């Protein structure tokens, strides 16, 4: 299982637009092969910073999604809303007290 974490920093006035994009996209992301979960988190101290957290069966599934026309279209609209460059990490769980 691969975990993908993406940090997104938005101009405050663009947050409603991003939330709309996420709400309209999340089910389509989940429909991609190998995607088991898509969550959205918001920083407590900096409300213009969001994190997406997604679970993928394998790296190839994530790459298929990232190479899709759907991702390219959504990302093109989303990145116009940023106030800072996005950051992303792909990680594997090492230890946990709970299952995924």
């Amino acid at each position: 299982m691969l975990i993908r974490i993406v940090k997104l920093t938005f101009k405050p006035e663009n947050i409603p637009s991003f939330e709309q994009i996420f709400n309209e996209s999340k089910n389509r992301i989940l429909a991609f092969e190998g995607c088991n979960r898509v969550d959205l988190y918001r920083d407590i101290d900096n409300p213009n910073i969001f994190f997406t957290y997604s679970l993928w069966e394998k790296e190839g599934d994530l790459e298929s999604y990232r190479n899709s026309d759907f991702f390219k279209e959504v990302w093109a609209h989303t990145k116009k809303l940023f106030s800072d460059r996005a950051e992303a990490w792909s990680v594997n769980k090492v230890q946990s007290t709970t299952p995924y």
Side-chain angles (χ1 to χ4, degrees):
M1 193 70 64
L2 172 80
I3 301 166
R4 182 71 169 181
I5 302 166
V6 182
K7 178 184 176 188
L8 309 164
T9 306
F10 295 97
K11 295 175 187 169
E13 64 272 17
N14 291 338
I15 290 171
S17 295
F18 165 67
E19 290 175 322
Q20 180 178 353
I21 290 169
F22 183 83
N23 285 328
E24 292 172 355
S25 303
K26 62 186 175 187
N27 289 330
R28 288 195 58 193
I29 297 167
L30 275 171
F32 273 82
E33 184 174 343
C35 184
N36 295 313
R37 183 176 184 157
V38 177
D39 295 328
L40 180 63
Y41 297 91
R42 191 174 198 171
D43 189 278
I44 292 171
D45 296 321
N46 295 302
N48 61 322
I49 297 175
F50 289 79
F51 296 86
T52 59
Y53 176 98
S54 55
L55 296 179
W56 298 86
E57 289 292 326
K58 59 186 185 287
E59 188 173 357
D61 294 332
L62 173 60
E63 287 307 310
S64 292
Y65 163 69
R66 292 183 69 227
N67 289 320
S68 71
D69 290 337
F70 172 73
F71 173 81
K72 291 173 186 172
E73 180 181 329
V74 170
W75 190 248
H77 292 295
T78 302
K79 69 181 182 180
K80 292 177 186 175
L81 307 174
F82 293 159
S83 66
D84 200 0
R85 187 176 155 271
E87 297 179 61
W89 302 268
S90 293
V91 300
N92 290 310
K93 186 183 288 189
V94 176
Q95 290 188 26
S96 179
T97 58
T98 61
Y100 284 96

